[in-house]
Amino acid sequence: MRRLLLATCFLLPGLAAQAAPEITMLTSDDPALSLGRFAFPGGKVVEMSVGIGSAAYHRPGDPADIVYTLSDRGPNFACSEAEEIAGVPAAKLCAEEPRGRVYPVPSYAPTLYGLRLLPEQRRFQLFEAIALKRPDGQPITGLTNPLPGRTEQPLDGNGRRLAFDPSAIDAEGLIRLPDGRFWVGEENGPSLVEVAADGRIRRRVVPVGTAGEFAGAGYEVVEGLPAILARRQSNRGIESLTGTPDGATLYALLQNPLANPDTAAFRAARNTRLLRYDPAGNRVTGEWVYQLDDPRSFRNDPSDRQSDPRISEMAWLGPDRLLVLERTEKTTKLYEVRLDGAATNILGSSWDDPATRPTLEQGGAGVVPLEKRLVLDSADHPELPGKLEGIALLPGGVLMLINDDDFGITGERTRIALIRGVLN
């Protein structure tokens, strides 16, 4: 059987090939970034920060120093990390659910943040925070939704079981529109979430056949994504979102290949799915394969695990032209892709049928993936932090990257890189 054709490289206008771009690093001592301390019983005291770097967006027309960013679901970690992060054996902290996930601040609401960049001072500061909330004004949480067999049991910082929350959002991707509304790419459903300027959720778009799993969310839930997306691996849903500046077209990219038909396929697969979505018509208008790199090619932390590389962000460069952030924990690559080339549009094909065997993730015979052109490799720039998850395109050809510090639970803090010489 023929295997999926390997992605090749090509040259596109709009991006510069510079051997040594100019990089300015920004940090912040803004007290608004402090989330306080949490003392794990019999373990460590963790000084937490507000994790603002899960996504970033500069709205065209805004001042050059203004950027919006997004937090995800709040401080959390897998029970397998309990000893390292909490200083408590997993068998003790997670006695109620050994495969659960710990939330030291379970009431935290995913939040949109406004940042002012001060490059001359090598720092940034916050000027706005908009918590996501239900239409009645009640802030949501970032806990897991009640998705049967497809999610993790939430636990509090003492290891007690928490209730699943049908309204919860794991916010990961961001675009803000001219009228103040914004769209969020969401990992748990996976879903796309339309949000009013004041943070009230207007609607959540989920895979076909899954709306009933969000009963009681307190906001509108509509089906509009391919049903097969419900097969996303736990914690590997939609982490990147971008779109045209007017919001008429959105692009969403699955963080990793689907667990299709099972987790073994997810672990071995390289083929993840990129969607083009029409919000006005609530319909997907295109679907392509993005092929992840070999994990051994990530020079700061090479491995043999194909599930280590993942997609964490995108930015819109022009009609059907995207900048994609592909990363591991310590290495980030930026690729330019375009959807108007030879890549196969698989929307509505047998690859969207859950009954197809072998699945797209198990091979995808005859499908041509998106071509990729390498723009930046963080292994060439040791000053860049790991776990970069946000991209913003600033005026004057400046590229902004921001890291996700995981709310400081491992001691990391948010850093911003301003890069000149990559974008024209």
mmCIF file of all heavy atoms in Angstrom, residues 5 57 76 165 194 249 283 329 342:
data_model
loop_
_atom_site.group_PDB
_atom_site.id
_atom_site.type_symbol
_atom_site.label_atom_id
_atom_site.label_comp_id
_atom_site.label_asym_id
_atom_site.label_seq_id
_atom_site.Cartn_x
_atom_site.Cartn_y
_atom_site.Cartn_z
ATOM 1 N N LEU A 5 2.294 10.706 1.023
ATOM 2 C CA LEU A 5 3.478 11.359 0.466
ATOM 3 C C LEU A 5 4.077 12.312 1.469
ATOM 4 O O LEU A 5 3.370 13.098 2.108
ATOM 5 C CB LEU A 5 3.081 12.122 -0.803
ATOM 6 C CG LEU A 5 2.479 11.271 -1.933
ATOM 7 C CD1 LEU A 5 2.042 12.180 -3.072
ATOM 8 C CD2 LEU A 5 3.475 10.232 -2.415
ATOM 9 N N TYR A 57 -2.594 37.216 19.839
ATOM 10 C CA TYR A 57 -3.145 37.802 18.615
ATOM 11 C C TYR A 57 -3.000 39.318 18.657
ATOM 12 O O TYR A 57 -3.339 39.952 19.664
ATOM 13 C CB TYR A 57 -4.624 37.445 18.454
ATOM 14 C CG TYR A 57 -5.226 37.906 17.140
ATOM 15 C CD1 TYR A 57 -4.897 37.269 15.956
ATOM 16 C CD2 TYR A 57 -6.116 38.974 17.090
ATOM 17 C CE1 TYR A 57 -5.435 37.676 14.742
ATOM 18 C CE2 TYR A 57 -6.669 39.390 15.884
ATOM 19 C CZ TYR A 57 -6.317 38.742 14.713
ATOM 20 O OH TYR A 57 -6.849 39.149 13.517
ATOM 21 N N ASN A 76 -2.687 23.016 36.477
ATOM 22 C CA ASN A 76 -3.090 21.613 36.469
ATOM 23 C C ASN A 76 -1.906 20.746 36.105
ATOM 24 O O ASN A 76 -0.959 21.203 35.467
ATOM 25 C CB ASN A 76 -4.247 21.388 35.483
ATOM 26 C CG ASN A 76 -3.821 21.531 34.039
ATOM 27 O OD1 ASN A 76 -3.432 20.555 33.394
ATOM 28 N ND2 ASN A 76 -3.871 22.757 33.511
ATOM 29 N N ASP A 165 -17.556 19.427 34.541
ATOM 30 C CA ASP A 165 -18.256 20.690 34.316
ATOM 31 C C ASP A 165 -18.607 20.815 32.835
ATOM 32 O O ASP A 165 -17.729 20.994 31.991
ATOM 33 C CB ASP A 165 -17.358 21.855 34.742
ATOM 34 C CG ASP A 165 -18.028 23.213 34.612
ATOM 35 O OD1 ASP A 165 -19.144 23.282 34.073
ATOM 36 O OD2 ASP A 165 -17.421 24.212 35.060
ATOM 37 N N GLU A 194 -17.375 30.955 20.196
ATOM 38 C CA GLU A 194 -17.577 32.374 19.917
ATOM 39 C C GLU A 194 -17.885 33.091 21.220
ATOM 40 O O GLU A 194 -18.768 32.663 21.987
ATOM 41 C CB GLU A 194 -18.723 32.590 18.930
ATOM 42 C CG GLU A 194 -18.924 34.060 18.563
ATOM 43 C CD GLU A 194 -20.133 34.284 17.677
ATOM 44 O OE1 GLU A 194 -20.922 33.334 17.465
ATOM 45 O OE2 GLU A 194 -20.300 35.435 17.202
ATOM 46 N N THR A 249 -13.596 33.861 7.970
ATOM 47 C CA THR A 249 -13.053 32.521 7.779
ATOM 48 C C THR A 249 -12.108 32.210 8.923
ATOM 49 O O THR A 249 -11.261 33.037 9.280
ATOM 50 C CB THR A 249 -12.279 32.415 6.449
ATOM 51 O OG1 THR A 249 -13.153 32.736 5.368
ATOM 52 C CG2 THR A 249 -11.738 31.007 6.248
ATOM 53 N N ARG A 283 -20.234 25.899 9.006
ATOM 54 C CA ARG A 283 -19.862 24.734 8.199
ATOM 55 C C ARG A 283 -18.372 24.749 7.913
ATOM 56 O O ARG A 283 -17.747 25.814 7.776
ATOM 57 C CB ARG A 283 -20.638 24.721 6.878
ATOM 58 C CG ARG A 283 -20.362 25.899 5.963
ATOM 59 C CD ARG A 283 -21.343 25.991 4.793
ATOM 60 N NE ARG A 283 -20.969 27.090 3.898
ATOM 61 C CZ ARG A 283 -20.268 26.921 2.776
ATOM 62 N NH1 ARG A 283 -19.882 25.714 2.419
ATOM 63 N NH2 ARG A 283 -19.968 27.961 2.016
ATOM 64 N N GLU A 329 8.650 19.952 23.853
ATOM 65 C CA GLU A 329 8.756 20.729 25.091
ATOM 66 C C GLU A 329 9.861 21.780 25.020
ATOM 67 O O GLU A 329 9.747 22.853 25.597
ATOM 68 C CB GLU A 329 8.997 19.808 26.295
ATOM 69 C CG GLU A 329 7.793 18.987 26.697
ATOM 70 C CD GLU A 329 6.613 19.840 27.124
ATOM 71 O OE1 GLU A 329 6.788 20.724 27.978
ATOM 72 O OE2 GLU A 329 5.512 19.624 26.591
ATOM 73 N N ALA A 342 -0.929 21.656 -4.114
ATOM 74 C CA ALA A 342 -1.310 20.313 -4.555
ATOM 75 C C ALA A 342 -1.907 19.456 -3.448
ATOM 76 O O ALA A 342 -2.348 18.335 -3.698
ATOM 77 C CB ALA A 342 -0.083 19.607 -5.133
#
